[in-house]
Amino acid sequence: MSTIFLWVYQRLHTNTSAMSSIDPIPTTQLRLSSGNGPVCRTVLTTPLRDADPSEIPIIDIAGIFSTALSDRAKVATEIRDAATNIGFFYIKNHGVPSEVTDDAYSACLHFFRQSPDIKNRANIKQSKYFNGYKPPMSQRINPFESIDVRETFSWTYDPRYDPAVASLDTIPPHIARYLRYEDFHWDATANIPHFKEAVVRYWRSCLVLARALVHSFALSLNLPEDYFAEKITHPDAAFALNYYPPIPSPGSSMEVGKDNKGQVSIGSHTDFQLFTILWQDNNGGLQVLNRQGQWINAQPIPGTFVVNIADYLQRITNDRYVSTVHRAQNWSGKERISMPFFFGFNLNESCGVLDSCVAEGEERKYDEISCEDWVQRRAKAMHKTDSGA
């Protein structure tokens, strides 16, 4: 791919010193899938560096559980600032006990360290609804980059484990028709004591946290806190356990900025629905493309989750909130685990651009689209696994 040059008049950071604001900086074009077809992003070929706190802030969200509106509003303001700047932030004091994440992490390692034959008992090809195990060389989230160097165990929303659902009989038919749940993947992992228990407990904790965060997002958009309540009764709340074996780090002879042509643990992409809550281990590898087109590391911070805005939330905020491109490259030399929880509206719901996100004289950039149609559009565009892409 040919290299072009971009004059950058603002200060860019590196690991050692600030780059000159007058030097021409080479760029490349990054291709990736979107809900509207392939898109390109201009990427600076500056060295990968760690994000500083002003770029990916740490937000103390203890206030979202407060009875005082002022405390909840303060958190909402911080979320709005992060969502409009980069679309990524860390959260601490989130209410999920460390033993919940520790147990899920331990169960995750136990599963992935098994032999391929045992793991393939849970192979997703045997599932009706895309639950279960995806082996090595079976995922390519960005069709313009390498096959993902990862294995995954994933699970879609199951109302039987939702603490807010009293019984399946209470689910209205117009919602129930979108719910797809099964026991195949749990039966196939029954050889691991407490695997299901640990994973479901983690998922339930994230579900409770996500619903609380939705209230904060509503406040951040100058809406009543319960504005989205009816849209998250049976949400599109899926999760994945990702196992990333180490990949070779770029050698000293590798041309700066060309590492996007090499192996990726998970390719460059944006997420589908409202937001993602991510737990990651201490080995690092998560990279975020900032607003200046520079790759930065979202380093692990103990006791926190990473939260990032997804595409549907960007749509309904008329691009006020940013769904940011990210990827992972595990150069740690160790196995890496991440546990993302993906949260969105019920699949039977739809939402257009919010009135509070349209200024006087401004046009709505997007038509209303159902969550089911949006997710299907994104999934078809992204999950291409053949090596010929």
Side-chain angles (χ1 to χ4, degrees):
M1 187 177 296
S2 61
T3 300
I4 61 175
F5 288 88
L6 177 70
W7 285 88
V8 177
Y9 292 97
Q10 63 189 84
R11 189 179 181 89
L12 291 172
H13 302 283
T14 68
N15 290 330
T16 55
S17 61
M19 299 178 63
S20 169
S21 62
I22 61 172
D23 291 337
I25 300 174
T27 66
T28 60
Q29 294 297 303
L30 171 67
R31 296 183 70 193
L32 65 155
S33 298
S34 78
N36 300 309
V39 297
C40 288
R41 302 288 177 87
T42 298
V43 179
L44 297 168
T45 60
T46 49
L48 182 69
R49 63 173 177 82
D50 292 346
D52 63 46
S54 67
E55 292 177 294
I56 306 181
I58 302 172
I59 300 177
D60 185 338
I61 65 165
I64 71 175
F65 306 109
S66 171
T67 57
L69 177 59
S70 59
D71 293 336
R72 304 195 300 274
K74 179 180 182 297
V75 176
T77 298
E78 294 184 59
I79 288 176
R80 180 175 63 242
D81 290 344
T84 55
N85 289 324
I86 193 170
F88 265 78
F89 51 95
Y90 299 91
I91 56 173
K92 67 178 183 178
N93 294 324
H94 42 66
V96 179
S98 59
E99 59 265 25
V100 170
T101 52
D102 290 346
D103 288 350
Y105 173 59
S106 177
C108 183
L109 285 176
H110 193 160
F111 174 79
F112 286 112
R113 286 172 175 173
Q114 298 179 113
S115 69
D117 288 346
I118 296 177
K119 287 184 287 189
N120 271 313
R121 294 174 187 172
N123 194 295
I124 197 169
K125 291 182 178 179
Q126 303 171 64
S127 171
K128 297 178 182 178
Y129 306 126
F130 307 105
N131 296 305
Y133 171 64
K134 298 176 185 177
M137 304 297 290
S138 66
Q139 300 178 82
R140 191 177 199 164
I141 204 165
N142 186 334
F144 309 108
E145 294 179 327
S146 76
I147 294 285
D148 296 350
V149 184
R150 63 170 169 147
E151 303 171 40
T152 301
F153 182 94
S154 56
W155 180 39
T156 53
Y157 173 77
D158 190 330
R160 295 174 296 178
Y161 304 107
D162 185 344
V165 176
S167 73
L168 298 182
D169 294 337
T170 65
I171 303 175
H174 71 280
I175 294 177
R177 64 186 292 263
Y178 289 95
L179 303 181
R180 305 174 179 91
Y181 49 91
E182 59 187 346
D183 292 312
F184 152 76
H185 48 299
W186 302 131
D187 295 339
T189 55
N191 63 300
I192 304 177
H194 310 305
F195 177 81
K196 176 183 176 181
E197 177 185 352
V199 169
V200 170
R201 187 181 178 204
Y202 171 75
W203 179 85
R204 286 168 64 108
S205 296
C206 289
L207 181 60
V208 171
L209 173 59
R211 284 187 166 128
L213 283 172
V214 168
H215 287 83
S216 296
F217 276 106
L219 272 180
S220 77
L221 294 166
N222 298 315
L223 298 169
E225 287 177 279
D226 62 353
Y227 186 84
F228 298 119
E230 293 303 312
K231 294 183 181 294
I232 57 171
T233 57
H234 303 82
D236 180 19
F239 92 106
L241 304 174
N242 285 318
Y243 177 84
Y244 300 109
I247 58 176
S249 61
S252 58
S253 62
M254 178 175 284
E255 185 177 348
V256 171
K258 295 295 186 181
D259 59 340
N260 64 306
K261 285 189 174 182
Q263 288 183 308
V264 289
S265 299
I266 183 171
S268 306
H269 66 284
T270 54
D271 293 340
F272 292 3
Q273 266 249 41
L274 296 182
F275 56 85
T276 300
I277 299 171
L278 174 77
W279 182 92
Q280 57 176 333
D281 69 16
N282 293 324
N283 292 324
L286 176 60
Q287 302 168 10
V288 176
L289 189 65
N290 69 14
R291 296 293 288 270
Q292 290 72 44
Q294 186 178 30
W295 284 113
I296 56 176
N297 288 316
Q299 292 283 28
I301 299 177
T304 70
F305 288 112
V306 177
V307 176
N308 64 276
I309 307 303
D311 291 351
Y312 202 81
L313 185 53
Q314 176 169 314
R315 285 178 66 92
I316 67 175
T317 59
N318 220 32
D319 291 346
R320 294 285 197 278
Y321 287 6
V322 183
S323 178
T324 298
V325 177
H326 53 287
R327 67 183 181 189
Q329 290 181 302
N330 178 21
W331 296 329
S332 69
K334 305 174 184 177
E335 59 189 353
R336 176 181 184 260
I337 296 295
S338 73
M339 301 189 296
F341 175 89
F342 308 100
F343 191 79
F345 293 146
N346 300 2
L347 290 175
N348 63 287
E349 292 288 347
S350 66
C351 189
V353 173
L354 301 165
D355 290 342
S356 65
C357 295
V358 182
E360 184 177 354
E362 187 178 13
E363 295 184 357
R364 285 171 164 78
K365 298 179 182 180
Y366 303 104
D367 296 329
E368 184 165 338
I369 184 172
S370 75
C371 294
E372 168 75 359
D373 288 346
W374 179 251
V375 169
Q376 289 298 323
R377 182 192 294 186
R378 289 301 323 272
K380 288 177 182 179
M382 289 180 63
H383 290 90
K384 186 176 180 63
T385 58
D386 63 278
S387 60

